[in-house]
Amino acid sequence: MAILELKNLNKTYSPTSIPVKDLSLTVRDDEFLTLLGPSGCGKSTTLRAIAGLDQPTRGQVLVDGHDVTRMRPGDRNMAMVFQSYALYPHMNAEANIAASLRLKQIDAGEIMGRVRAVSAKLGLDELLDRKPGQLSGGQRQRVALARALVRQPAVFLLDEPLSNLDALLREQVRAELKQIFEAQAAPVVYVTHDQTEAMTLRRRWRCYAMA
Amino acid sequence: MTDQSSHSLLAWQRIALGLAIAALLIFCLAPIFWQFLTSVKVNADIETTPNIYFPSRYTLSHYTELFARRPFWNYLLNSGFISIASTLLCLAIGTPAAYSLTRQPVPSKNIILGVILIVTLFPYILLFLGLLEIARAFGLGNNYLALIVPYTAINLPLTILVMRSFFQQLPQDLEDAAKIDGYNIGQMLLQILLPLTLPALVTTGILTFIFAWNEFLFALTFMTEEALKTIPVATAQLSGASQFETPYGPIAAATVVGTIPLVVLVLFFQRKIVQGLTAGAVKG
């Protein structure tokens, strides 16, 4: 479906603080790239640059060979799952999941179909009319995941999506995640500082340890 | 032993607390209560010496006089329109400004914030003569705009500062998620951020409304036409049949009439504020 490429990506805050230095890599359709490293090593910075939330100082981000480096985050057709889930607190789960589709003014029937399909897959059917405040941590995490999956984006970006869950739940969700993303034919970039997580989730052996 | 002493201390404290609250309430509300009593007394009872505090005869004639013999509906509408327009304008300008000053890369942001802070410290009476000249130059005398524009401007700094502190409390991730979902800045502000800052909007809105509703000096100077006067000015200018008669009853009634909309507004929105705070429940 898509290929994500980074070419000589650089992010410089000051001459002595260069979290991302000449990073070049390619993530193909069914690849699950894990960026592993301690906090502050530039993995999140890389992810934010791919998403377009921060501009890289130099270098390019390419999707299917098109340069998206200067595009707005919303126009890049990428979905992102945040560590804090970042659900909209005033909207119920259904509205959270459907938000991006409604903005694109997709036909209401299709939106409903897609939301149903995703929520069935993630076991969210019963929870769709609840607000994030009425959901447990694990449930919120699944809503955040559903919000990304429903878009059927060109690229998935996940920023430590499991680190807010307790240990037991984390293992369970990790297995689920692996299954879900194996079924998606889209590049996945996954940021974590947890080695076990990185090793379990990788599909092809593409695990960048960032210094 | 300890139990007993702490218990008796509690009882003692409870009595002291009750007394303190009663004293505070009497201190704050006595003038208002006095105005209310005056407004329902007959003229004879108002003027006798010694004072009659709790009259035996009551009348609504002061109120009916306000609306039958004077255009008090008109004054209420003027005050209402000017206050609502100032409040909405203040929020419509102040909120995007506050957001920009929180999250957008605005050049020399700190200088702008410093200037805004200084403006709030500026005694507004000093602006008065300058504003009079400006209003005259633009031909805005006896025009609603002559009050709406200054009221908005005077309240903008506070609105911006309060809204900014609320925007700062919102997690950055929420805005990032909205950007990735494809919201542009306007949509994000309206559909994601404003619903979450509703309590702040209501609070600053009420402050602006109260200021505009009560303001006297500008309203007195910029509005000389009878049909355009606001409640505080109209109340102050109530006069009796002759130069030597002060119409205490109608003045008291006008004060009550002018206060009721504020009380209703605050009570109504106070419930909204509390609801907004509990329904938000972001943490969990």
Side-chain angles (χ1 to χ4, degrees):
Chain A
M1 234 161 90
I3 302 173
L4 171 71
E5 280 175 279
L6 305 185
K7 279 191 182 161
N8 301 317
L9 201 70
N10 260 275
K11 181 73 189 180
T12 315
Y13 289 119
S14 72
T16 50
S17 152
I18 308 170
V20 184
K21 200 170 183 181
D22 284 327
L23 183 68
S24 295
L25 51 83
T26 310
V27 198
R28 292 197 181 73
D29 255 2
D30 48 357
E31 282 184 321
F32 195 111
L33 173 80
T34 311
L35 299 175
L36 173 69
S39 46
C41 74
K43 48 191 173 21
S44 286
T45 312
T46 309
L47 202 69
R48 291 177 64 83
I50 298 173
L53 295 171
D54 289 330
Q55 276 296 316
T57 319
R58 259 185 307 120
Q60 287 179 308
V61 179
L62 299 134
V63 176
D64 284 335
H66 299 295
D67 186 359
V68 299
T69 321
R70 301 282 155 206
M71 271 192 185
R72 293 192 310 148
D75 300 334
R76 296 185 180 203
N77 197 18
M78 296 180 181
M80 186 158 166
V81 179
F82 292 83
Q83 180 178 354
S84 64
Y85 317 137
L87 300 176
Y88 311 127
H90 58 297
M91 298 183 186
N92 63 20
E94 194 261 337
N96 263 287
I97 297 170
S100 62
L101 302 181
R102 295 217 169 106
L103 280 174
K104 282 190 216 142
Q105 305 190 326
I106 291 173
D107 163 72
E110 197 197 327
I111 293 181
M112 204 156 80
R114 276 162 77 170
V115 171
R116 287 273 160 75
V118 171
S119 68
K121 193 181 337 183
L122 292 173
L124 289 170
D125 287 336
E126 315 275 288
L127 309 171
L128 282 182
D129 54 355
R130 293 212 200 153
K131 292 198 172 161
Q134 301 161 309
L135 297 172
S136 73
Q139 290 167 336
R140 280 183 224 178
Q141 210 273 340
R142 275 185 282 157
V143 174
L145 207 56
R147 181 165 70 174
L149 289 170
V150 81
R151 295 180 56 179
Q152 303 167 351
V155 177
F156 285 103
L157 307 171
L158 296 97
D159 189 3
E160 310 221 14
L162 302 185
S163 52
N164 272 5
L165 300 177
D166 61 60
L168 199 69
L169 199 57
R170 200 180 303 168
E171 237 163 81
Q172 186 194 330
V173 176
R174 199 157 62 199
E176 275 179 25
L177 269 184
K178 193 175 158 105
Q179 220 182 357
I180 287 165
F181 284 106
E182 257 162 25
Q184 301 287 325
V188 181
V189 182
Y190 187 100
V191 164
T192 181
H193 63 267
D194 183 338
Q195 290 193 21
T196 340
E197 215 170 287
M199 302 304 260
T200 329
L201 283 167
R202 73 188 158 79
R203 208 172 322 156
R204 290 202 193 139
W205 204 166
R206 313 246 330 180
C207 189
Y208 278 75
M210 303 190 70
Chain B
M1 191 66 185
T2 356
D3 252 25
Q4 240 179 4
S5 65
S6 77
H7 193 77
S8 63
L9 199 70
L10 263 177
W12 173 81
Q13 278 176 330
R14 217 173 291 153
I15 292 168
L17 186 69
L19 284 177
I21 290 174
L24 192 68
L25 278 180
I26 291 169
F27 182 76
C28 293
L29 295 180
I32 296 165
F33 190 59
W34 180 243
Q35 284 294 311
F36 172 73
L37 280 180
T38 308
S39 74
V40 292
K41 281 185 209 169
V42 295
N43 276 329
D45 284 356
I46 293 175
E47 280 152 19
T48 51
T49 345
N51 272 328
I52 296 176
Y53 287 96
F54 296 98
S56 49
R57 293 172 292 174
Y58 294 95
T59 172
L60 284 175
S61 66
H62 301 310
Y63 288 94
T64 49
E65 186 192 330
L66 287 184
F67 292 102
R69 289 189 29 213
R70 298 169 206 267
F72 251 74
W73 283 120
N74 203 357
Y75 301 143
L76 275 173
L77 281 179
N78 289 340
S79 274
F81 176 75
I82 290 168
S83 305
I84 289 171
S86 312
T87 306
L88 293 181
L89 210 56
C90 201
L91 292 177
I93 300 171
T95 308
Y99 180 73
S100 306
L101 288 170
T102 316
R103 296 276 203 242
Q104 301 293 108
V106 179
S108 55
K109 190 186 282 186
N110 285 330
I111 297 176
I112 296 175
L113 282 168
V115 170
I116 290 174
L117 192 66
I118 289 172
V119 171
T120 60
L121 304 175
F122 207 76
Y124 95 107
I125 298 289
L126 295 185
L127 301 169
F128 167 65
L129 279 176
L131 278 176
L132 188 61
E133 288 302 317
I134 293 172
R136 202 179 282 157
F138 283 94
L140 285 179
N142 285 322
N143 185 323
Y144 285 134
L145 279 177
L147 294 183
I148 292 172
V149 174
Y151 291 173
T152 305
I154 286 169
N155 283 290
L156 262 180
L158 185 72
T159 308
I160 291 175
L161 293 176
V162 172
M163 288 310 293
R164 192 176 110 88
S165 73
F166 261 75
F167 283 134
Q168 278 175 326
Q169 286 169 15
L170 291 179
Q172 173 83 50
D173 275 358
L174 213 56
E175 286 160 55
D176 290 342
K179 280 182 204 158
I180 286 180
D181 268 351
Y183 288 94
N184 64 35
I185 287 190
Q187 289 168 322
M188 182 163 80
L189 202 58
L190 281 175
Q191 294 173 35
I192 308 288
L193 300 178
L194 287 195
L196 297 176
T197 48
L198 198 63
L201 282 176
V202 170
T203 312
T204 49
I206 281 182
L207 288 178
T208 307
F209 187 93
I210 291 176
F211 173 89
W213 185 270
N214 287 336
E215 206 282 335
F216 182 73
L217 195 59
F218 291 180
L220 176 71
T221 325
F222 297 161
M223 299 295 201
T224 48
E225 219 170 272
E226 195 60 33
L228 293 173
K229 278 181 180 158
T230 59
I231 280 279
V233 176
T235 306
Q237 290 180 344
L238 281 175
S239 54
S242 75
Q243 200 184 336
F244 306 103
E245 187 200 336
T246 309
Y248 290 112
I251 288 177
T255 312
V256 173
V257 166
T259 314
I260 286 171
L262 285 187
V263 174
V264 170
L265 187 84
V266 171
L267 285 181
F268 175 74
F269 277 113
Q270 195 186 29
R271 295 185 75 173
K272 289 274 163 198
I273 295 172
V274 174
Q275 275 172 1
L277 285 175
T278 47
V282 184
K283 266 275 195 206

